[in-house]
Amino acid sequence: PTREGSIYRAMGSDKDVHLLVGANPIGIVWSEYPEINPRMRILALPILRRNKGWEALCYTPRGGRQNHGCTLYFSVVNDPDWHVSYKTYKDTVDHTGKPLVTDADIAADKRAGMSQDDADAEYSLSWDAAMPGAYYADEMRQAERDGRIRRVEYDPRVPVCTAWDLGRN
């Protein structure tokens, strides 16, 4: 409910991470959180805590498992103090039950230039969609489907040598 005298502000998060410091918000909606400098949220948390405030983080997994949105999601998904909702395009319908986005819509977006990885992240909320420009994304997806990426047991008493191209995490 709105109290008389409340002020609603729409603010950008692309310029200054200190934008909310001193603004004294009671509630914040972080739209497309992975696109925001995470420091901005960290600076706002004590303000929200003091104001007994709230935050809503609305986003798709842009950049997959390589961003702060993913880290936050997996750290709170089972936390009873958080409400977490994970809805793909198949889970979203209008008030009549009609899908908001169809397979045909996604196919049209891909014909218009959207990559498979962007479609997977945007519509299917894939944490594993490759980042734009990632090398070997299609090949890695195929290796995963083929079962060629997996844990391999080893004997720690035997020396092991590995070689990597493009790095690893």
Side-chain angles (χ1 to χ4, degrees), residues 145-157:
R145 282 193 295 268
D146 293 347
R148 293 182 282 141
I149 298 176
R150 63 187 183 280
R151 284 200 170 284
V152 178
E153 298 300 322
Y154 71 99
D155 183 342
R157 297 171 294 174

Side-chain angles (χ1 to χ4, degrees), residues 26-91:
I26 294 170
I28 300 173
V29 176
W30 303 105
S31 180
E32 295 303 344
Y33 178 62
E35 302 287 336
I36 296 170
N37 182 333
R39 181 80 180 136
M40 182 175 246
R41 179 174 172 265
I42 297 304
L43 292 172
L45 284 176
I47 302 165
L48 292 175
R49 182 82 50 218
R50 174 63 180 93
N51 290 336
K52 295 183 179 18
W54 55 269
E55 63 178 342
L57 296 97
C58 312
Y59 59 96
T60 54
R62 300 196 196 289
R65 297 186 185 273
Q66 306 303 314
N67 69 50
H68 52 278
C70 178
T71 302
L72 178 63
Y73 175 83
F74 283 104
S75 70
V76 302
V77 68
N78 295 314
D79 186 329
D81 291 334
W82 282 72
H83 168 75
V84 178
S85 180
Y86 183 89
K87 304 284 187 196
T88 71
Y89 79 100
K90 292 181 180 186
D91 303 314

Side-chain angles (χ1 to χ4, degrees), residues 59-131:
Y59 59 96
T60 54
R62 300 196 196 289
R65 297 186 185 273
Q66 306 303 314
N67 69 50
H68 52 278
C70 178
T71 302
L72 178 63
Y73 175 83
F74 283 104
S75 70
V76 302
V77 68
N78 295 314
D79 186 329
D81 291 334
W82 282 72
H83 168 75
V84 178
S85 180
Y86 183 89
K87 304 284 187 196
T88 71
Y89 79 100
K90 292 181 180 186
D91 303 314
T92 55
V93 295
D94 68 13
H95 66 284
T96 67
K98 179 182 172 191
L100 295 176
V101 176
T102 66
D103 290 334
D105 294 330
I106 296 170
D109 283 352
K110 287 168 40 180
R111 285 192 307 276
M114 181 180 275
S115 72
Q116 182 64 53
D117 286 313
D118 285 337
D120 289 346
E122 184 66 30
Y123 295 118
S124 298
L125 302 183
S126 172
W127 295 106
D128 297 315
M131 294 177 68

